[in-house]
């Protein structure tokens, strides 16, 4: 259910919006306002009963409905949209600028255009409007074809065929998914989608989606999957998954940005002790061996033994070959 405060803001802005777009169709207005046609009709019915104190017939907001179009014939003084306060505008600008560089969340060019308009409308520019011009002329980050395709599929409710690199299994797989939404976890954006092969909801990190093709079929995730919140247990150190305690050398601190890790302790000389969850001990062992001396596993003991034994076996094989 939509919060009352959210609907109130929409209602207060709807009249000036309709005044600025006379004879707009129901479908066009619903799309611009981000509501269904049914919700738009309910909002119009609500507005029709709102007016000035006294609530006489001439005081109520009035509309003219001609065919499939809507026209405001009396606004009851609601002619201007709500204005942002300076703190509200600042918060919105900071959020938009942060989202511009995160793939798949917003259209970068549209976001920069919105930033310029908000700066101008909120009066954050000087009399010469140089800041607004700079925002308009600012070059938007180039959005990859993959990110654009995923964002379009989420927006239009279309199925996707994606090539995805699974870091936990070190494999590249092709799968058909039904997009649900784009979510942010930490500093990364993810596509939350129904994976048809696994018959379950999965999170696909944008920078690991190698390619994406929008299919000519509607996305049909099960309704319970659409309504459920994203499962971010892997990133919250889910106690159901095993976790390794690692000692990272200064040359390996890049891993803190690339893998879902939790820093346990910052040590002298740039070393870090960190915790990392994993689904497969076999994959974790291979990954740790690939890092060489830059990463040392401290716990659990079973993983320590497996890494030690695998390293010893590799050295023995090299010795045999050299002999």
């Amino acid at each position: 259910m939509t919060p009352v405060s959210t609907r109130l803001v929409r209602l207060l802005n709807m009249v000036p919006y309709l005044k600025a777009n006379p004879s707009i169709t129901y479908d066009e207005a619903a799309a611009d306002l981000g509501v269904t046609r049914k919700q738009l009709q309910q909002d119009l019915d609500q507005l029709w009963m709102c007016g000035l104190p006294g609530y006489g017939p001439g005081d109520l907001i009035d509309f003219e409905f001609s065919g499939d179009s809507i026209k405001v014939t009396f606004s009851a003084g609601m002619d201007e949209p709500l204005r942002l306060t300076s703190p509200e505008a600042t918060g919105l600008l900071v959020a938009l600028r942060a989202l511009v560089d995160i793939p798949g969340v917003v259209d970068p060019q549209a976001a920069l255009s919105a930033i310029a308009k908000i700066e101008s409308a909120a009066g954050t520019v000087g009399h010469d409007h140089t800041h607004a011009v700079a925002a308009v002329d600012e070059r938007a980050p180039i959005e990859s074809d993959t990110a654009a395709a995923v964002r379009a599929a989420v927006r239009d409710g279309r199925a996707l065929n994606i090539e995805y690199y699974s870091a936990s299994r070190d494999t590249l797989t092709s799968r058909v998914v039904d997009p649900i939404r784009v979510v942010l976890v930490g500093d990364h954006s993810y596509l939350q989608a129904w994976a048809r092969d696994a018959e379950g909801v999965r999170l696909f990190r944008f920078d690991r989606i190698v390619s994406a093709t929008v299919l000519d079929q509607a996305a049909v995730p099960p309704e319970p999957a659409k309504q459920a919140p994203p499962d971010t247990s892997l990133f919250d150190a889910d106690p159901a998954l095993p976790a390794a305690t690692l000692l990272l050398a200064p040359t390996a601190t890049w891993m803190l940005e690339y893998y879902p890790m939790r820093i346990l302790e910052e040590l002298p000389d740039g070393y870090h002790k960190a915790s990392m969850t994993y689904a497969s001990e076999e994959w974790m062992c291979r990954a740790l061996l690939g890092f060489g001396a830059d990463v040392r596993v401290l716990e659990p003991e079973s993983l320590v033994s497996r890494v030690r034994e695998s390293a010893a076996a590799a050295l023995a094989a090299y010795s045999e070959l050299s002999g």
Side-chain angles (χ1 to χ4, degrees):
M1 181 179 293
T2 304
V4 173
S5 58
T6 301
R7 190 180 184 204
L8 177 60
V9 170
R10 187 172 68 244
L11 290 172
L12 291 174
N13 283 291
M14 186 176 290
V15 175
Y17 163 78
L18 293 173
K19 284 271 290 183
N21 296 275
S23 300
I24 193 170
T25 67
Y26 278 85
D27 289 339
E28 290 171 337
D32 285 348
L33 296 168
V35 297
T36 63
R37 182 173 175 135
K38 179 180 178 181
Q39 181 63 62
L40 175 63
Q41 184 63 64
Q42 292 175 347
D43 289 346
L44 290 171
D45 291 343
Q46 180 74 38
L47 284 169
W48 216 347
M49 300 303 295
C50 296
L52 299 175
Y55 306 103
D59 294 333
L60 299 178
I61 296 171
D62 203 2
F63 301 95
E64 177 185 300
F65 303 104
S66 177
D68 194 45
S69 64
I70 312 164
K71 182 179 180 180
V72 178
T73 57
F74 184 68
S75 65
M78 295 174 59
D79 299 309
E80 297 292 335
L82 294 177
R83 297 291 183 182
L84 292 173
T85 65
S86 181
E88 289 172 339
T90 300
L92 188 56
L93 288 170
V94 170
L96 275 173
R97 288 197 174 276
L99 291 176
V100 164
D101 296 321
I102 302 177
V105 180
V106 296
D107 179 343
Q109 191 61 54
L112 282 182
S113 176
I115 287 170
K117 292 175 181 177
I118 293 170
E119 288 176 336
S120 178
T124 57
V125 299
H127 295 296
D128 59 358
H129 300 287
T130 54
H131 194 49
V133 172
V136 173
D137 293 340
E138 184 178 340
R139 180 172 297 178
I142 298 176
E143 185 176 37
S144 70
D145 293 339
T146 297
V150 174
R151 189 167 51 79
V154 174
R155 181 192 63 224
D156 300 333
R158 313 302 295 178
L160 274 173
N161 190 330
I162 64 172
E163 296 284 333
Y164 187 73
Y165 171 69
S166 175
S168 62
R169 293 179 176 82
D170 194 21
T171 57
L172 184 67
T173 59
S174 177
R175 60 189 86 188
V176 176
V177 300
D178 296 301
I180 298 175
R181 61 178 65 90
V182 175
V183 298
L184 293 177
V185 181
D187 296 327
H188 296 286
S189 52
Y190 293 78
L191 168 66
Q192 183 191 10
W194 177 264
R196 295 185 182 180
D197 56 345
E199 296 186 343
V201 176
R202 298 291 185 270
L203 290 177
F204 302 99
R205 206 167 102 175
F206 263 82
D207 60 359
R208 293 179 185 166
I209 301 176
V210 179
S211 65
T213 303
V214 181
L215 302 179
D216 188 22
Q217 53 183 280
V220 287
E223 193 61 32
K226 291 170 59 178
Q227 300 300 326
D231 180 10
T232 59
S233 57
L234 176 63
F235 310 96
D236 299 328
D238 182 2
L241 293 173
T245 301
L246 308 176
L247 181 64
L248 308 181
T251 51
T253 52
W254 59 269
M255 293 176 61
L256 297 172
E257 299 293 332
Y258 190 78
Y259 293 97
M261 288 187 173
R262 183 165 53 92
I263 297 177
L264 301 177
E265 186 179 358
E266 294 186 12
L267 302 172
D269 301 325
Y271 282 80
H272 289 79
K273 185 184 290 186
S275 175
M276 175 179 172
T277 56
Y278 57 94
S280 167
E281 190 172 90
E282 178 184 359
W283 175 86
M284 190 65 171
C285 178
R286 287 191 292 112
L288 290 171
L289 288 172
F291 299 134
D294 287 343
V295 180
R296 177 184 171 191
V297 58
L298 305 177
E299 293 178 341
E301 187 56 41
S302 61
L303 183 59
V304 173
S305 299
R306 186 163 190 162
V307 171
R308 184 185 298 117
E309 291 168 3
S310 297
L315 288 174
Y318 277 117
S319 298
E320 184 177 346
L321 285 174
S322 62

